[in-house]
């Protein structure tokens, strides 16, 4: 179906959306095609983008050309858990992500 796109979110156990994206944010929406058949999509979550804890994936399929805009909505269709103990702070980090910021220090005289 022309005009089709995918909407994808990663939500933590508290219901906070950590990542949200859709296929029309890319230069080319590869879902919007005349081709029929099975498709495989891959979304890469940045390294340390998720803190330790449980997460849920939501997927929506929509089309501007469909009679009903939202074709399918799959909430919490997959769950997974992130376990990390590389640094001493990994298990106690309160931040939404587990990103380690790059510290730069300069002496000011």
């Amino acid at each position: 179906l022309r005009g089709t796109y995918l909407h994808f979110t990663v939500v933590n156990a508290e219901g906070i959306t950590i990542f949200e994206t859709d296929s029309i944010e890319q230069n080319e929406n590869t879902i919007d095609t005349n081709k029929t058949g099975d498709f495989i999509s891959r979304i890469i979550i940045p390294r340390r983008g998720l803190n330790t804890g449980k997460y849920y994936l939501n997927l929506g399929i929509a089309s501007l050309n469909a009679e009903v805009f939202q074709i399918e909505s799959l909430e919490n269709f997959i769950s997974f858990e992130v376990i990390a103990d590389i640094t001493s702070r990994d298990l106690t980090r309160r931040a939404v992500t587990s990103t380690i910021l790059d510290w730069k220090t300069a002496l000011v005289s």
Side-chain angles (χ1 to χ4, degrees):
L1 181 61
R2 297 292 297 161
T4 301
Y5 67 95
L6 299 178
H7 178 259
F8 177 82
T9 60
V10 177
V11 179
N12 69 10
E14 290 78 32
I16 298 170
T17 301
I18 308 301
F19 292 107
E20 180 175 16
T21 187
D22 59 52
S23 60
I24 57 178
E25 291 181 316
Q26 304 301 308
N27 291 334
E28 178 186 357
N29 177 11
T30 57
I31 305 302
D32 185 7
T33 179
N34 283 329
K35 296 179 182 176
T36 60
D38 295 335
F39 291 84
I40 295 175
S41 292
R42 183 172 86 165
I43 297 171
I44 299 172
I45 296 173
R47 182 178 182 265
R48 299 189 69 82
L50 298 173
N51 199 359
T52 57
K54 189 167 187 174
Y55 295 89
Y56 302 90
L57 305 181
N58 301 312
L59 178 66
I61 304 169
S63 175
L64 300 172
N65 298 328
E67 252 182 66
V68 178
F69 175 71
Q70 186 75 27
I71 297 170
E72 185 67 68
S73 181
L74 305 170
E75 291 193 29
N76 300 340
F77 77 101
I78 293 177
S79 68
F80 63 94
E81 191 167 353
V82 173
I83 300 170
D85 58 2
I86 295 172
T87 73
S88 60
R89 197 173 274 285
D90 276 338
L91 298 175
T92 60
R93 193 179 311 272
R94 294 184 315 251
V96 174
T97 72
S98 190
T99 302
I100 297 175
L101 301 176
D102 189 18
W103 284 62
K104 301 290 184 201
T105 304
L107 181 62
V108 179
S109 46

